[in-house]
Amino acid sequence: MKRVIIAIFALALVPSSALAQRGNMPKGWGYGFGAIGGTSGDFGQTTVHVGGGGEGLFYKGLGAGAEIGYLAPTRGVGDGFGVASVNVAYHFVQPGRKLVPFVTGGFSLLFRNGSSAGGNVGGGVQYWMKDRVALRLEFRDHIISSDSPHFYGFRVGFAFR
């Protein structure tokens, strides 16, 4: 378990290291977010999710990233759990455009006293207000198994490079 968490943190740093590089290194950025969401099925609860991560592009709009966060029901914020994800993403980048739509998906790990692995899918837009700051709007759904609830959320955050 500790090795998995350490590996996820290490992967989260890879896109961030691209920020400090010049030349042929991929473009990269970090981001932070807050989300309001819920759970599917009989579990039906409203949730909050906060976190951050980083992404880097390595071929045209194709990229990879990682993030870490905390997800909890609104009725018991102390009853939440950690969420770590490693994803691939495609950003529909066009030169001169400030609005960049994207889709993403990958591996998710939910952890507290134990852990559960699954996946996630999502998409959204980044609006680059300035050269180094973007407003990030996104929908993300974490899917652990067919018999557990989905943890979905509508995220608002900022990206920075």
Side-chain angles (χ1 to χ4, degrees), residues 95-110:
R97 294 264 174 114
K98 291 184 173 196
L99 190 65
V100 181
F102 65 91
V103 293
T104 186
F107 171 80
S108 291
L109 180 70
L110 281 59

Side-chain angles (χ1 to χ4, degrees), residues 64-82:
E67 67 179 40
I68 188 98
Y70 181 76
L71 192 147
T74 55
R75 292 186 179 175
V77 176
D79 295 330
F81 48 86

Side-chain angles (χ1 to χ4, degrees), residues 28-73:
W29 55 89
Y31 62 88
F33 66 88
I36 189 78
T39 58
S40 64
D42 296 337
F43 297 94
Q45 297 182 50
T46 304
T47 61
V48 293
H49 188 180
V50 295
E55 292 180 323
L57 299 181
F58 54 84
Y59 180 75
K60 298 188 180 182
L62 189 60
E67 67 179 40
I68 188 98
Y70 181 76
L71 192 147

Side-chain angles (χ1 to χ4, degrees), residues 1 4 17 20 26-27 41 56 58 64 68 73 75 78 93 99 107 121-123 159:
M1 177 63 184
V4 172
S17 66
K27 293 181 182 178
F58 54 84
I68 188 98
R75 292 186 179 175
V93 179
L99 190 65
F107 171 80
V121 294

